[in-house]
Amino acid sequence: MTSPDIRPPATISRRGVGRILGAAAAASLLGGTGRAAASESGAADLVFHNGDVITMDPRRPRATAVAVRAGRIVYVGPDAGARAFAGRGTETVDLRGRTLTPGINDTHLHAAVYRLNLPPYALDLGPAAAKSVADIVAAVAAEAGRTPAGEWIRGAGWNPNRLAENREPNRDDLDRVSPDHPVFLQDSGYHVSAVNSRALEIAGITDVGPNGTRKPGVDYDANGRPTGVLRYGGQALVQLLLPPRTREQRKQAIQDALTRLRAEGITSFTDPGLGPGGDGLGGGTQGIETLNAYVDLARAGTLDARVSALFLPCSQSGGSAAAVDKALREFTPPTGVDPRRFAVRGVKLFSDSGGDLLVAGNTNEERAAELAEMVRIAHAAGYQVGVHCYRWVPTVVDAFTAALRRHPRADARHIAMHGAFVPESLLPTMARYRIGLGPQAQSWANAIHRAAQGPAGDAFLPWRSAVDAGVPLLGSSDAPVNAPNWRAGVQALITRRGACGDVHGPEQRLTLEQALAAYTTAGAWQDFAESWKGSVGVGKVADLCVLGGNLRTTSPDEITGVPVAMTVFDGRVVYEA
């Protein structure tokens, strides 16, 4: 930014000083004032120079300077050419060799869930805060001591594989410290919950008698007693009973999340799954009221991000074609919003989370047919379809291709979300039909050591094979499952080094540019927006990320630690370190 050795008067704002000093810096950049005066009417608001600009534009992949005016990029090239855009009102930024990229697009990020499952809304039980079941119990005990009897205690973020006991917390753990408060604690993947006896009682989850029926998604011990562990759709038995967050709370949570995302250089994201199927997900934070909160912010002009949402017609388990059809018939997409700030672009469905198919049906064959019909209905309604899948990627791709054949539509851009176990033989079909693959490299890094011991081995998530085949590879964090640190994702994509420290499948490594594409141009592709965002090019929106170092010269194993120095959204500096 402007020279640090000038001490401004205390009465002048930091931004005002920046603009005053920007004029001086502009003169220095120009080497004189004559040209500045000549081009004053076309002066830029911002000029970046002396940097390493990774444009992600194949026509000009590298540059050193960028000029921004009225929310648009007006110049990309060498420093000398930026001189014509520097005037008395221009703020200039000397990048000092640091990297500038397009604004980051996280293609799978639950912003409201992310924020509403942190304090003060819920206990933080992530790995930094809870390293054991004993730590979780202590946190619940402390919360019970300051919470009126009968009120719910909520928390999220625990991972049994990172707890000292290497197991899930259960009702007996929680009952010892919270007999009078119903307790609901969700895991880091948001697929498993731990609750206490009071919560089970409220939900009507009782012991199984000699001829009793076990509720799907509820764990029972050998005696038919519920353990307090709920899985997948079974979580809704309790989540639907949680006191709902107000729309104002949801709006504040989204705004808080945006503040955190801007500090990561993220200017666009997809919130994948908001609708009638979401009240029993994410601690009750993925319902239609969260979608309405986004709409309110967008209509008020206070949503400082580009957000795509996927409509969620069904919950995590037991979805059906009838439910999808009914929900879509009853849903009216929002009006009165700028689609470049907020739009419902697609529909999200669940196929599996690593086990059997989760949709309606008695056998996996019946469920596969049901899933295909669910996809067909959403596709025929004109939506992009994203399916949450792990082991059943071929079944999901079959459903996509069947829908496309029955209802031809150019460029539908359907997405296999997560898609961990994708056979390489399937990639040509995905490329032919332009089906995107949306894994989370951070999740891969955390899981690869265990996955490599199974049948998939090092072929688990063949990133390079996907890119080489022409499959759109989409980068995301799945926050709050992972922190929204896209550099950690880029590092994993480049190194194939897991959190265990071992490199798995080195032939699947990506180049720096390929990894960055997953978080920039691929996200724009998913949003049908590559004509106006996702790269640093003249005419594109001025959404930019400035790093505190140079990505090209940073060791691949150290990329995670490169800080974000500045974020520009719509031509405005919205974050500075």
Side-chain angles (χ1 to χ4, degrees), residues 290-361:
T290 298
L291 192 152
N292 291 334
Y294 274 116
V295 174
D296 283 356
L297 294 172
R299 285 177 177 162
T302 56
L303 187 66
D304 280 346
R306 308 193 189 280
V307 183
S308 294
L310 301 186
F311 180 70
L312 186 63
C314 304
S315 189
Q316 196 171 19
S317 296
S320 68
V324 172
D325 184 62
K326 180 178 183 293
L328 289 180
R329 289 180 186 277
E330 294 176 350
F331 175 61
T332 301
T335 58
V337 297
D338 180 351
R340 295 192 177 194
R341 292 295 180 99
F342 183 78
V344 179
R345 303 191 190 279
V347 169
K348 179 178 182 177
L349 304 172
F350 289 93
S351 72
D352 73 289
S353 288
D356 288 343
L357 288 168
L358 296 171
V359 302

Side-chain angles (χ1 to χ4, degrees), residues 15 259 262-265 564-568 572-577:
R15 179 61 60 199
T259 297
R262 287 193 288 266
E264 297 288 349
V564 171
M566 178 185 291
T567 303
V568 176
R572 295 176 290 110
V573 176
V574 294
Y575 169 78
E576 282 186 84

Side-chain angles (χ1 to χ4, degrees), residues 465-483:
S465 297
V467 170
D468 289 347
V471 175
L473 185 69
L474 306 163
S476 65
S477 63
D478 199 10
V481 176
N482 300 294

Side-chain angles (χ1 to χ4, degrees), residues 104-109 268-270 272 308 310 384-387 389 400 412-420 422 427 430 434-444 461-464 466-467 470-478 482 486 489-490 493 510 513-530 533-534:
I104 300 304
N105 192 330
D106 191 312
T107 62
H108 192 113
L109 184 153
S268 294
F269 63 90
T270 294
S308 294
L310 301 186
Q384 178 186 48
V385 184
V387 179
C389 56
F400 286 153
R413 306 191 187 189
H414 298 323
I415 310 296
M417 295 174 165
H418 310 302
V422 53
L427 297 175
M430 295 180 70
R434 300 300 287 157
I435 296 168
L437 180 63
Q440 287 74 47
Q442 289 157 276
S443 294
W444 172 92
L461 274 173
W463 300 327
R464 184 59 179 261
V467 170
V471 175
L473 185 69
L474 306 163
S476 65
S477 63
D478 199 10
N482 300 294
W486 58 273
V490 166
L493 290 172
L510 300 183
E513 289 75 12
Q514 288 171 330
L516 281 175
Y519 291 88
T520 55
T521 53
W525 173 86
Q526 178 176 282
D527 290 344
F528 299 85
E530 64 268 33
K533 74 170 185 177

